[in-house]
Amino acid sequence: MTAWFTRHRIVVGVVAMVLVLLGGVTYVVWTSQSQAAPGRGASTATGLLYVDHANGKDQVARLDPTGEVSFEDLRCQRVYTAAGTTICLRLAGPGPSYEAAVVNASGAVVRTVGLAGVPSRARVSASGQVVSWTVFVVGDSYSTPGGFSTRTGFVNLRTGAEMDSLEPFTVLVDGKAEKRADFNFWGMTVATDDRTFYATLGSADKAWLIRGDLVTRKAETVRPGAECPSLSPDQTRVAYKKRAGRLGQWELVVLDLKTGVETALPGSLGVDDQAAWLDNATLAYGKPASNGGSPTIYASAADGSGQPQVLVSNASSPSPPVP
Amino acid sequence: MYVASTRSGRPGASSTLRTAVPRTVVLLGTVSLLTDVSSEMVTAFLPVYLVFTLNMSYLQVGMLDAVYTGATSVLRMVGGYLSDKIGRHKAVAVAGYGLSAVTKLAFPAVGASAAGLSGVLAVDRAGKGLRTAPRDAMISLVTTKEKLGRSFGVHRMMDTIGALLGPLATYLVLTSLGTKPGPIFMISFCFAMLGLIVLVCFVRQPPKAEAVPSASRVSVKRSLALLREPGIARTSLAALMLGLVSIADVFVYLVLQSTTGVDPRLLPLMPLGTALVFLLAATPLGQLADKVGRWKVFFAGHVVLLGVYLLLLGPFGGLPLAACTLLLHGLFYAATDGVLMAHGATLVAPELRASGLAIVQTAQAVGRFTSSLLFGLLMTQLSMASAVLVAVVALAATLITVSALIRPAAGA
């Protein structure tokens, strides 16, 4: 056997390489043939805009109130829409590099902003004037400890103000002005005045909910452990993810800004998303599948009454629909 | 010290063309190129895979990393020792490359489980740990001593070509086929298999130098005794110390983008800039090392790194600063990565070559890993500029200490 191999190793090598190439090409051609048609989702009061995972093309899809799904002419890894303005975080070039595209009501791209990393969160303020996003910056290697950071940027379409990072902001941590190189910001949500915002500040292994002002470029910590806030349409509550237990999984919690009372949403354990308010009573969020499949979007009553309902499977990035 | 010299005229070493690089080196370079396409494809895909496809935070996977990096260094030593012990470097390298190839198929199976993903990444890195020392030992065993720098330079150049092509392949798949993970992992697996086939079928185990007297047979005791040999001990200590003050690439790029204020979309492209300079300069600097002394070039590479740090302080700005910094950063790698192995190979007898190289590699890896932890910690306390300033002072002090510790005569 060994002697035979030594004599024929060149032939064996060439044949093996040809087989590997044939096998690889066959697999890729075969998988790219399967085109999934739009499926169906649950019927809702509002409908939903989201990113489809079923056919791998990351197409933006619209779920009608009836549960009918139709594809939009947009491919994004993260999408959000409000008042006719849509933000689409998408692949831009080799690297791979990514960009934020701002799309107006008629579907034209009115602005693109280069991103420093992989799309994670996207938001549009209720007026459609302030778009914001968060990306993961990972450098060149997944094996470097501490080699990850997040970056949050925004554009005010009315004033033209644009920042690709909140690092220049003055931040008060527990009332004290601080500036550390490892400050990370993620998950921004902007209020109806187009200047007040909530977001997450992270440093070392801590995270805080912060409230700030986009015009004065100041922010302060509000409470610890609250991440990826989402302001309700009536501006009275903030939904965010929070660890259940010290190092436990995240769950979604709704904070009443007036009373300071937190309400956990049942069945949301394992969520890792910035929730979207479909209306003042309903939150939608994506949740990873435990079996390794694609994520699913759920809807949940914002007052914590009742279990979540599956809106659509093989889907992420929930957003209220285009009206 | 001529323990390292190998007779020419053997299979694998070039006999006819005096200037040609040994065929085994080119073949091992091909193996590394194909394997790097495979692994860099996954590295480039992993962020979007975790964040988009699986809806996970990046953080969850990174946390267990420290444990695995420690395990990898131990495996590196095991791989080196085993290769020497059984006298079959190729067999151990096949195991290492094979292990990494298999992990490419395991990704879809573990899905969104943080523990599962960390486990797959750990096995991938275990494979890398296992194969590095025997592969570098093979490169050194088929090369005459005067050409070591060049052989390692050619190997690292081919390796880096693969590292450049990987992300490009990922981008092409993402735009043409979409973000479905199946095709990426399958194509990555195919490249890994092609590399493995080249290794198994085309690379030949370098023959033993001569009948080794039984007194000097390879044993754990003898391998560990290498640590007491002044050449290896000093080189490893210097590699450890310099590793300790080398800022991890990812921090270099983050600081650079922030200092220069260049378009953030250039950030993911910065590693490609470093790699391009690295691959262009690896062979010429390896040849230079053969001429003027390998240790000298390795040391000079770290002086260039000091230049990188000084530029990170931002004496000027914009694209020119980014370009200059990446140029120096690539030169740093070209002057140090293969050259350290070329230097190490001159210090160890052929039958202990893999163990010796493993010790030097481990020292450097442990240093670099500790450095990234320390620098990460520094960033939690200080502003970027202050953290870089600390690194400048630390590197300068280490360069002075090391130049006093190691005389080029200890290896040339």
Side-chain angles (χ1 to χ4, degrees):
Chain A
M1 175 67 196
T2 322
W4 180 88
F5 177 74
T6 313
R7 226 172 318 126
H8 296 96
R9 61 197 181 88
I10 303 289
V11 179
V12 172
V14 171
V15 169
M17 290 175 95
V18 169
L19 286 178
V20 167
L21 285 175
L22 278 178
V25 169
T26 310
Y27 173 85
V28 169
V29 169
W30 175 67
T31 47
S32 58
Q33 296 292 315
S34 56
Q35 272 302 353
R40 271 192 68 84
S43 50
T44 48
T46 56
L48 178 78
L49 196 73
Y50 67 95
V51 175
D52 168 74
H53 282 243
N55 68 10
K57 300 284 184 198
D58 309 346
Q59 264 175 297
V60 174
R62 177 208 292 263
L63 175 69
D64 283 345
T66 58
E68 207 70 54
V69 170
S70 56
F71 284 144
E72 303 273 305
D73 195 17
L74 203 56
R75 289 172 64 182
C76 319
Q77 276 78 49
R78 191 84 195 179
V79 72
Y80 198 90
T81 188
T85 304
T86 302
I87 181 171
C88 168
L89 308 187
R90 63 188 183 189
L91 196 66
S97 61
Y98 301 87
E99 66 182 13
V102 181
V103 181
N104 68 13
S106 51
V109 175
V110 294
R111 189 159 185 156
T112 57
V113 182
L115 300 176
V118 182
S120 171
R121 313 287 180 225
R123 276 298 126 121
V124 181
S125 69
S127 67
Q129 294 304 316
V130 181
V131 299
S132 59
W133 59 85
T134 300
V135 295
F136 276 96
V137 181
V138 270
D140 68 323
S141 164
Y142 54 75
S143 61
T144 312
F148 119 94
S149 64
T150 60
R151 205 174 283 194
T152 292
F154 68 90
V155 173
N156 186 325
L157 297 170
R158 190 178 289 133
T159 65
E162 173 186 327
M163 290 185 86
D164 84 296
S165 165
L166 299 187
E167 269 155 43
F169 275 49
T170 308
V171 182
L172 301 181
V173 177
D174 297 328
K176 204 170 113 233
E178 291 215 39
K179 200 164 206 74
R180 301 180 202 153
D182 82 326
F183 270 179
N184 281 308
F185 298 89
W186 63 93
M188 182 188 258
T189 177
V190 177
T192 44
D193 64 1
D194 280 346
R195 62 183 286 181
T196 306
F197 73 92
Y198 288 85
T200 320
L201 165 70
S203 171
D205 55 354
K206 285 207 182 72
W208 297 267
L209 178 68
I210 58 168
R211 182 180 48 232
D213 188 319
L214 293 178
V215 178
T216 61
R217 298 191 175 176
K218 285 188 181 140
E220 56 183 349
T221 57
V222 177
R223 58 196 296 139
E227 301 174 53
C228 292
S230 178
L231 203 51
S232 65
D234 63 11
Q235 314 286 296
T236 61
R237 288 153 295 162
V238 178
Y240 46 76
K241 61 176 184 164
K242 184 182 172 181
R243 293 211 184 265
R246 222 185 86 71
L247 271 175
Q249 289 183 293
W250 281 297
E251 63 178 346
L252 269 186
V253 168
V254 176
L255 172 75
D256 188 313
L257 288 170
K258 205 175 283 169
T259 63
V261 173
E262 275 186 341
T263 311
L265 299 192
S268 66
L269 213 61
V271 68
D272 185 0
D273 200 5
Q274 182 175 27
W277 293 83
L278 296 183
D279 54 38
N280 272 314
T282 319
L283 279 158
Y285 57 87
K287 202 167 104 171
S290 49
N291 62 4
S294 306
T296 298
I297 294 178
Y298 296 85
S300 200
D303 59 4
S305 64
Q307 290 295 315
Q309 172 206 5
V310 174
L311 283 189
V312 57
S313 50
N314 296 320
S316 68
S317 187
S319 160
V322 183
Chain B
M1 213 182 280
Y2 284 98
V3 285
S5 60
T6 340
R7 291 185 315 245
S8 58
R10 270 190 219 143
S14 84
S15 49
T16 46
L17 265 172
R18 185 167 279 201
T19 50
V21 175
R23 191 198 293 144
T24 301
V25 172
V26 176
L27 285 173
L28 285 173
T30 310
V31 175
S32 294
L33 190 155
L34 292 165
T35 306
D36 251 44
V37 170
S38 162
S39 62
E40 293 300 318
M41 269 188 82
V42 171
T43 306
F45 179 58
L46 214 58
V48 71
Y49 178 59
L50 291 181
V51 176
F52 173 70
T53 311
L54 298 180
N55 250 227
M56 289 174 81
S57 278
Y58 214 78
L59 192 61
Q60 295 168 329
V61 176
M63 282 189 3
L64 289 166
D65 219 74
V67 185
Y68 297 135
T69 306
T72 311
S73 1
V74 174
L75 264 174
R76 218 184 273 262
M77 307 278 274
V78 171
Y81 170 71
L82 264 181
S83 317
D84 289 336
K85 179 74 188 167
I86 59 175
R88 290 169 62 191
H89 305 86
K90 185 179 145 181
V92 178
V94 165
Y97 281 105
L99 212 54
S100 292
V102 170
T103 59
K104 306 300 180 292
L105 290 184
F107 274 105
V110 298
S113 144
L117 281 167
S118 306
V120 173
L121 293 177
V123 174
D124 182 33
R125 243 161 297 149
K128 193 174 167 56
L130 211 53
R131 72 190 178 229
T132 312
R135 183 201 62 210
D136 283 351
M138 281 199 277
I139 293 173
S140 74
L141 288 173
V142 298
T143 307
T144 53
K145 193 197 173 197
E146 305 74 47
K147 298 268 157 67
L148 278 171
R150 192 178 60 161
S151 275
F152 277 102
V154 168
H155 175 267
R156 296 310 196 254
M157 174 190 75
M158 297 181 74
D159 185 276
T160 311
I161 291 174
L164 267 178
L165 292 179
L168 204 63
T170 294
Y171 170 69
L172 289 177
V173 176
L174 286 180
T175 43
S176 56
L177 299 175
T179 45
K180 251 195 182 338
I184 299 248
F185 288 126
M186 182 50 87
I187 294 169
S188 164
F189 174 71
C190 287
F191 274 107
M193 284 308 291
L194 292 178
L196 196 61
I197 292 167
V198 172
L199 178 64
V200 170
C201 297
F202 302 152
V203 174
R204 310 192 78 166
Q205 166 70 37
K208 281 211 172 89
E210 55 262 332
V212 179
S214 60
S216 58
R217 211 170 281 151
V218 179
S219 63
V220 176
K221 205 172 137 198
R222 226 185 129 214
S223 288
L224 285 177
L226 282 174
L227 281 169
R228 285 198 298 275
E229 277 180 27
I232 281 290
R234 283 196 210 144
T235 301
S236 304
L237 185 62
L240 177 82
M241 289 168 63
L242 288 169
L244 265 175
V245 289
S246 308
I247 305 179
D249 294 358
V250 59
F251 292 126
V252 170
Y253 303 135
L254 283 176
V255 173
L256 184 59
Q257 197 266 326
S258 144
T259 317
T260 55
V262 293
D263 191 314
R265 86 181 82 192
L266 289 179
L267 191 53
L269 301 178
M270 286 181 180
L272 305 185
T274 299
L276 193 65
V277 177
F278 181 11
L279 85 87
L280 291 175
T283 310
L285 284 182
Q287 273 170 310
L288 181 72
D290 287 332
K291 213 174 279 171
V292 304
R294 298 172 191 106
W295 182 258
K296 271 188 199 147
V297 170
F298 178 74
F299 187 84
H302 284 85
V303 177
V304 172
L305 183 65
L306 188 63
V308 172
Y309 291 4
L310 290 173
L311 287 179
L312 287 181
L313 291 171
F316 46 103
L319 274 178
L321 178 64
C324 289
T325 311
L326 293 179
L327 176 71
L328 292 190
H329 198 234
L331 287 177
F332 157 67
Y333 272 108
T336 55
D337 197 74
V339 173
L340 178 63
M341 287 300 104
H343 171 73
T346 62
L347 304 173
V348 203
E351 73 270 16
L352 287 175
R353 187 65 51 80
S355 310
L357 293 184
I359 290 172
V360 179
Q361 285 166 359
T362 304
Q364 189 182 37
V366 168
R368 287 202 173 149
F369 177 68
T370 315
S371 140
S372 60
L373 289 181
L374 290 178
F375 198 74
L377 208 63
L378 221 55
M379 300 260 278
T380 67
Q381 303 298 326
L382 302 171
S383 72
M384 261 183 197
S386 325
V388 172
L389 209 58
V390 171
V392 167
V393 173
L395 178 55
T398 309
L399 282 172
I400 293 167
T401 316
V402 166
S403 70
L405 182 80
I406 294 219
R407 303 263 165 241

